[in-house]
Amino acid sequence: MDIDLFIPDLRRICREAGEAIMEVYQRDDFDVQAKGDDSPVTAADLAAHRVIEKGLNQLNPTIPQLSEEADDISFATRSHWELFWCIDPLDGTKEFIRRNDEFTVNIALIQDGTPILGIIHLPPTRETYWGGSRIGAWKQEADSSVHSIQSRPLGNTLVVTASRRHGQEQNDKLLDKLAGDFDQVESLASGSSLKMCLIAEGKADLYPRLFPTSEWDTAAAQAIVEAAGGKLVNADTLEPLRYNQREDLTNPFFYVVGDPNFPLHALNSAI
């Protein structure tokens, strides 16, 4: 499959989903509701989902879709999928509700459990990241200029990016452990999959995620980070995350690093 052919259409679909999100963002009322797991869903999540579902069906109706807003597909059905789209129409719904501009549209193409293509769009800034094992990693700025991106090797200063809302106690333990190995350790808080994009483009070195996430939260970012030269790995096994391998779509805890030679074993000894 020549995944290069998907990129222009995927960028367009993400932009259209982003426009649908921003239309809701301008309203006074987001129509916030609680899902079965008590996580919030807004009119923007659902509007973006509809745009993406329609766009991907037009792009290739034979590839099934697994979206956060349409996740009631049994594993008996999903287990036969060799190729599928893994979608988070609005990653960072809580950030969206708080109006801090740190939310994204995430689309990944998964083949045999591995993300082979990912695209992440930031509606407020109109920036787009994408990447895959055969195409490298790229970023489009709001002014439409496109350039390749690459994660960076470890230096004397370690920049750790972390969630604004989850796992702060565990992260503090890691920072204390790492402080002696670097001249300086800096923490950079951010929302949604933007944290992993920062690693892909060489602005951060480590993202420890020691709090639950779902597969659509990481799939697109994993493809981009790996294409940029980094890694996203299971915190226990230190192997890359795999997708659609079981009924439960919850990820294990994980680490994202820009330098593939990062001493990950030292992190596990710190927690």
Side-chain angles (χ1 to χ4, degrees), residues 23-66:
E23 191 278 326
V24 178
Y25 202 45
Q26 306 307 317
R27 301 179 192 171
D28 293 330
D29 183 4
F30 294 157
D31 188 19
V32 181
Q33 303 175 36
K35 295 194 287 190
D37 61 358
D38 290 330
S39 62
V41 61
T42 71
D45 296 79
L46 301 177
H49 167 74
R50 289 190 291 268
V51 169
I52 295 168
E53 182 180 46
K54 179 180 178 181
L56 293 180
N57 278 331
Q58 291 175 338
L59 180 61
N60 188 322
T62 67
I63 301 177
Q65 302 176 32
L66 177 64

Side-chain angles (χ1 to χ4, degrees), residues 1-255:
M1 176 183 298
D2 190 352
I3 61 176
D4 278 359
L5 299 178
F6 283 140
I7 298 300
D9 285 314
L10 286 174
R11 287 161 62 187
R12 173 185 54 79
I13 291 167
C14 283
R15 286 195 302 270
E16 291 174 355
E19 290 166 3
I21 288 169
M22 293 307 291
E23 191 278 326
V24 178
Y25 202 45
Q26 306 307 317
R27 301 179 192 171
D28 293 330
D29 183 4
F30 294 157
D31 188 19
V32 181
Q33 303 175 36
K35 295 194 287 190
D37 61 358
D38 290 330
S39 62
V41 61
T42 71
D45 296 79
L46 301 177
H49 167 74
R50 289 190 291 268
V51 169
I52 295 168
E53 182 180 46
K54 179 180 178 181
L56 293 180
N57 278 331
Q58 291 175 338
L59 180 61
N60 188 322
T62 67
I63 301 177
Q65 302 176 32
L66 177 64
S67 171
E68 180 177 12
E69 307 312 330
D71 63 349
D72 56 344
I73 304 169
S74 71
F75 184 61
T77 297
R78 289 189 283 109
S79 63
H80 297 290
W81 293 354
E82 295 180 0
L83 187 72
F84 71 97
W85 298 109
C86 187
I87 306 154
D88 194 341
L90 175 50
D91 181 32
T93 300
K94 292 179 180 178
E95 314 303 332
F96 175 89
I97 293 169
R98 291 177 174 86
R99 296 184 185 271
N100 71 5
D101 288 357
E102 294 178 350
F103 49 87
T104 61
V105 176
N106 301 353
I107 302 176
L109 185 62
I110 310 295
Q111 185 173 42
D112 297 326
T114 298
I116 61 170
L117 175 65
I119 184 162
I120 293 175
H121 178 68
L122 285 67
T125 63
R126 295 183 292 118
E127 296 170 291
T128 307
Y129 298 82
W130 67 93
S133 56
R134 288 170 281 182
I135 62 172
W138 301 85
K139 180 180 181 181
Q140 181 179 27
E141 306 286 354
D143 63 5
S144 296
S145 63
V146 176
H147 58 90
S148 63
I149 58 175
Q150 188 171 12
S151 62
R152 67 185 188 185
L154 277 177
N156 294 326
T157 297
L158 177 72
V159 178
V160 181
T161 183
S163 170
R164 290 192 183 279
R165 319 209 174 275
H166 305 297
Q168 191 58 51
E169 182 179 349
Q170 296 95 324
N171 288 342
D172 287 345
K173 290 180 181 179
L174 289 180
L175 294 180
D176 289 343
K177 170 70 175 180
L178 295 168
D181 298 326
F182 296 89
D183 292 345
Q184 188 172 357
V185 177
E186 300 176 359
S187 184
L188 182 63
S190 180
S192 71
S193 56
L194 179 58
K195 295 180 288 292
M196 294 175 276
C197 292
L198 294 174
I199 290 177
E201 62 179 323
K203 293 182 177 179
D205 302 296
L206 168 67
Y207 169 36
R209 181 67 186 208
L210 307 176
F211 198 85
T213 58
S214 297
E215 294 190 2
W216 43 74
D217 294 316
T218 56
Q222 182 169 343
I224 296 168
V225 166
E226 291 177 348
K231 296 197 301 187
L232 191 159
V233 298
N234 182 314
D236 290 327
T237 67
L238 303 185
E239 294 294 325
L241 296 192
R242 289 179 54 77
Y243 295 82
N244 194 32
Q245 302 298 296
R246 52 200 172 89
E247 185 75 48
D248 186 1
L249 292 166
T250 302
N251 285 324
F253 294 168
F254 62 85
Y255 301 126

